[in-house]
Amino acid sequence: MSDTSLRLVWVYPDLLSTYGDQGNALVVERRARQRGLDVQRLDVRSDQPIPTSGDIYLIGGGEDRPQRLAAERLLRDGGLNRAVDNGAIVFAVCAGYQIMGHEFVNDLGERSAGLGLLDVTSSRGEAARCVGDVLGDSDEYLGLPQLTGFENHQGVTHLGPGVRPLARVRLGNGNGTGDGTEGAWRDTVFGTYLHGPVLARNPLIADMLIKLSLDVNALTPVDDTWYDALRQERIAAATQPA
Ligand code: GLN
């Protein structure tokens, strides 16, 4: 990217935008603008080619059928994989996260190939659907504060040796395999089960993505009052006895 502009790509809003994850694009866009960056946001529908020149790609969650269609189209298109080969950053949520892996399975037991951008494989969870608030301690390498989000998924995700978990859950299921992990990441590709939207609840993840794209270690501080209030409210709600 140039020093002052950031190309933000919101991938397949027509298929993968069911859970309010578009808020992630709004948060990255706003926080980048607050740092004086000229943000070009491109919303790419599933009948359009994925541009390979983006800096940050955001992908949301979705139901099983749109998820399968999205994976087929992304694979056929190939643009997202080429963008990552060129160093682009990807932040994918839930269905989007599963699509970043090697394979996932839908409600009919049909297997779909993922993009292989994360060394993870998703299967159908045998237990009840994972629904509810999640709190997690972020991977020490990422240095993020406690993560808060909301999960709603049937799939469970197994991590291979090529990724690190994004967090360890204190509350909730995360990847749902019982190993206490939530999400996965390697290099510039991140996946999580957290909605919320997760970047509204955890704005420092948005800043992390912006820093990665600018290749800087720090950003000028912005007013986080609103975000802090949301975080406190959700963390309190999650930890209150039912
Ligand atoms: N369809 C996937 C599942 O149920 C992902 C759901 C989601 O994106 N919330 O596991």
Side-chain angles (χ1 to χ4, degrees):
M1 63 168 289
S2 79
D3 286 346
T4 56
S5 79
L6 185 135
R7 283 162 304 212
L8 180 62
V9 183
W10 174 229
V11 177
Y12 291 1
D14 52 328
L15 295 178
L16 298 173
S17 186
T18 323
Y19 298 91
D21 297 319
Q22 186 180 7
N24 291 335
L26 295 172
V27 172
V28 174
E29 188 175 352
R30 174 162 171 76
R31 293 181 77 84
R33 285 195 202 285
Q34 285 177 304
R35 272 55 178 257
L37 298 172
D38 165 31
V39 182
Q40 296 164 35
R41 174 171 153 189
L42 199 59
D43 292 13
V44 181
R45 293 175 54 90
S46 65
D47 58 355
Q48 298 174 319
I50 300 280
T52 56
S53 58
D55 297 304
I56 300 177
Y57 293 75
L58 299 174
I59 309 175
E63 299 302 343
D64 284 15
R65 312 301 164 86
Q67 174 178 350
R68 185 172 162 89
L69 187 58
E72 284 168 10
R73 291 188 175 181
L74 284 169
L75 263 179
R76 201 181 319 134
D77 179 272
L80 192 58
N81 288 66
R82 286 198 295 280
V84 171
D85 286 345
N86 294 336
I89 295 152
V90 177
F91 185 80
V93 174
C94 205
Y97 168 37
Q98 294 178 7
I99 292 172
M100 293 307 109
H102 301 298
E103 182 184 278
F104 60 89
V105 181
N106 72 6
D107 56 332
L108 303 176
E110 296 166 327
R111 293 167 185 279
S112 294
L115 303 189
L117 292 173
L118 285 174
D119 182 16
V120 305
T121 303
S122 300
S123 55
R124 297 297 287 178
E126 299 299 325
R129 194 173 174 86
C130 301
V131 183
D133 269 295
V134 178
L135 295 176
D137 297 326
S138 96
D139 185 3
E140 56 185 319
Y141 283 90
L142 301 176
L144 294 164
Q146 183 174 45
L147 301 189
T148 154
F150 189 86
E151 63 182 338
N152 183 354
H153 55 104
Q154 186 66 47
V156 300
T157 298
H158 309 263
L159 309 193
V163 290
R164 293 180 61 86
L166 193 70
R168 300 251 156 211
V169 289
R170 280 179 180 269
L171 182 84
N173 299 283
N175 288 320
T177 50
D179 65 357
T181 63
E182 148 44 35
W185 72 282
R186 59 115 188 148
D187 303 321
T188 60
V189 183
F190 301 83
T192 179
Y193 270 113
L194 303 186
H195 304 281
V198 64
L199 298 186
R201 289 207 200 179
N202 306 275
L204 294 189
I205 302 180
D207 286 1
M208 177 185 79
L209 304 176
I210 296 168
K211 282 190 279 188
L212 261 179
S213 75
L214 296 175
D215 199 17
V216 297
N217 291 324
L219 296 173
T220 50
V222 292
D223 180 5
D224 278 339
T225 309
W226 183 89
Y227 296 99
D228 289 343
L230 175 65
R231 282 178 64 75
Q232 293 319 318
E233 182 202 295
R234 296 320 310 161
I235 291 170
T239 49
Q240 254 166 29

